[in-house]
Amino acid sequence: MNMSIKKICCIGAGYVGGPTMTMMASKCPDLIFNVVDINKERIKSWNNTDLSKLPIFEPGLEKLIANTRNKNLFFSTNIKEAIETADIIFISVNTPTKTKGLGAGKSSDLKWVEASAREVAKYSKGYTIVVEKSTLPVRTAEVIEKILNSAETNNSRKEISFSVLSNPEFLAEGTAIKDLDNPDRVLIGGKDEEAMNALSSIYKAWVPEEKILFTNIWSSELAKLTSNAFLAQRISSINSISAICEVTGADIQEVSRAIGKDTRIGSKFLDSGPGFGGSCFKKDILNLVYLAEFFDLHEVAKFWESVVDINNWHQKRISTIVVKTLFGSVANKKLVILGFAFKANTNDTRESAAIKICKDLIIEGADLIIHDPKVSSKQIENALDTRESLDNDKDQKNYIQNNLGKWRFSKSLDIFDNAHAILVLTEWEEYKYINWDKVVKKMVKPSWVFDSRSIINANEVKKAGLNLWRLGDGSQKNEISNF
Ligand code: NAD
Ligand code: UGA
C-alpha cells in the first residue's frame, strides 16, 4: 500500500459501527479507531466500565471491547476531531425507510447519510477515503461525491480531496462477532484502485485475500440489497410452505430437511418462524422495489414486494390461529409472550414479528405478559405504544384506536399463573428448558403452547398435559380445525 493509514473514523456507533470497528481495532492494534455518534447516551453506554451495559448485546463483544477500548478504540461525540484526523471515514449511520414525502414507505431516508457527508466535507483535511458502510440505494455514492466535491470548491482549503468507496456490511445480529471474524466475503466497490487497496489492507490483517472482492461501486451497492432480498425471499418461501404443511398433514421440519440436502438449495436459512424481522430485510427489499419502480420495471417490483407481503400475511396468520384456537376470543385472557427480540442473541426489536403479533392480540383484548432476557421494558413500550402511523397502514391506525395498552413486561419467567396460552416468538435457549410439568399446574385449562420457532420439546409439553401448536406441523390439522 502506498498510502499510509493511521487513523480511522466511523460515523455511527450502532449495531454495525460498534462491532465492526471493535473487530478492526482488535485485528489492527497499530491503527487508531475513533467511533463517533450524535447520540450522547449511546456513546456513554459504549464507554461504560460495566461491560454488561454496552448499548448492544452481541455474544463475544464484551471481551473484544475489554481488549481494545481506550487503547486503540475510542467512542466519543467529538465528530469534528475524529473527521479532521482521519485517513479513512466509514459512514455507518441508520438508513430507515422514509415515513413521509416522496418515496414514503419504500425508499430509504438518506438524511443521516447526507448529514454525515456534509460533516465530512466541512471538517476533513487532506486526502480522505470515504466509505459507505451503511446499506444504501444504488448510486448513493454519486450523491456523497457531489456533496464532498461541492464542499471542496466552496472551500478555500484547496488541498482536500476524497475517494468514495462502497464496503457494505454482511454481519447478522447475534452472530456479529463470528461473522466479522470469519466473513464469507468482504466487498469493496469503487473506481480508485489505490483507495480500494488501502481499505483492503485493513481487512487483510485477518481476512484471506481471496475473500476480498473488488467490484464497481454500483455492483457493490446493489449486491448488498440483493443479498438481503435473497435471504428474506428464502424465509418467505419456507414460511409460505409451512402454511401448506398445516393443511395437508406435512411437516415443515421434514420438508426443510429434505430440500436442504440438495446442495444447490443448501440447508441454511430454511427455519420457518414467525416471519422475518430486523431493521434491514424489509427496508432493503422495499428499497429494491422502489428502484425497480423508478426504472419502470414494474414486474420486477411486484416480484420482490410479494416477499414482504407474504411476511406480513404470515405474521397475521399466526395471531389469527391463536385467537381461533382459543375459542375465537382472547379478550381478557392472559397470554404469555416468550421473546420480543427479532431473533435470539440480540437485544434488537426493530421490525420484530413479536410487535405485529402482540399488537394484533392487544386489539383482540388480550392481556399480555411479555418476557425477553435481553430486551428492556422501555424498548417494548416504544414498539407497542407508538402513535406513529403511515398514511396507508390501516392495521396501525386500527391499533392506535383500539390499543388498550394491556401488556406488562417481566424479567422473570415466573409468569404462568392463570395464563390461557404461551406463545414462543423468539428462539432464546432458555425457553427450551422450561419445566412444563410445573407450568401446566399454574395455567387455565385447556392450556396451550404456540411454538412459532419449533424449539419446544413437543413430547415433554404433551406429556405434561398441554396442547401444543407448532408452526408448520400438519399432524395437528384436525385438532386445530375443530375450534
Ligand atoms: P443504528 O441505528 O443501530 O446506528 C446508527 C447510528 O448512527 C445511531 O447511533 C445514530 O445516532 C448515528 N447517527 C445518525 N446520524 C448521525 C450523524 N450525522 N453523525 C453521527 N452519528 C449519527 O443502525 P445500524 O443497525 O448500525 O445500521 C446502520 C447501517 O448499516 C444501516 O444502513 C443498515 O441497513 C446497515 N446494516 C445493518 C446491519 C445490522 O445488523 N443492524 C447489518 C448490515 C448492514
Ligand atoms: C441480516 C442478514 O443475515 C445479514 O447478512 C445482513 O448483513 C443484515 O441482515 C443486515 O443487512 O442488516 P439480521 O437481520 O441481523 O441479518 O439477522 P438474520 O439472521 O438474517 O435474521 C433475520 C430474520 O429472519 C430474523 O427475524 C430471523 O428470526 C429470521 N429467520 C432467519 C428465520 O425466520 N428463519 C431462518 O432460517 C433465518
Side-chain angles (χ1 to χ4, degrees), residues 10-19 36-40 42 46 56 58 79 91-96 108 111-117 119 133-136 168-174 176 224 228 278-280 283-284 342 348 350:
C10 176
I11 305 179
Y15 283 86
V16 166
V36 289
D37 205 293
I38 41 174
N39 183 333
K40 289 194 183 96
R42 217 167 204 187
W46 278 113
I56 67 175
E58 258 320 318
I79 297 174
I91 297 181
S92 194
V93 297
N94 36 322
T95 52
S108 283
K111 71 173 174 236
W112 293 275
V113 173
E114 183 179 335
S116 305
E119 300 269 279
K133 194 49 139 171
S134 297
T135 303
L136 297 169
E169 185 48 60
F170 294 97
L171 69 80
E173 288 178 30
K224 173 62 198 179
N228 274 358
S279 62
C280 296
K283 148 179 100 65
D284 293 346
F342 80 96
D348 197 346
R350 289 177 291 182

Side-chain angles (χ1 to χ4, degrees), residues 435-479:
N435 184 330
W436 297 106
D437 286 326
K438 283 191 183 157
V439 168
V440 71
K441 292 191 185 111
K442 300 181 176 185
M443 292 177 71
V444 175
K445 309 290 175 309
S447 342
W448 277 89
V449 176
F450 295 90
D451 182 7
S452 74
R453 295 284 188 172
S454 303
I455 57 159
I456 299 300
N457 184 319
N459 289 336
E460 280 177 19
V461 170
K462 286 179 187 164
K463 222 171 82 202
L466 283 139
N467 296 295
L468 175 70
W469 174 88
R470 176 169 61 75
L471 182 70
D473 176 2
S475 69
Q476 64 214 350
K477 179 166 83 86
N478 299 326
E479 225 170 320

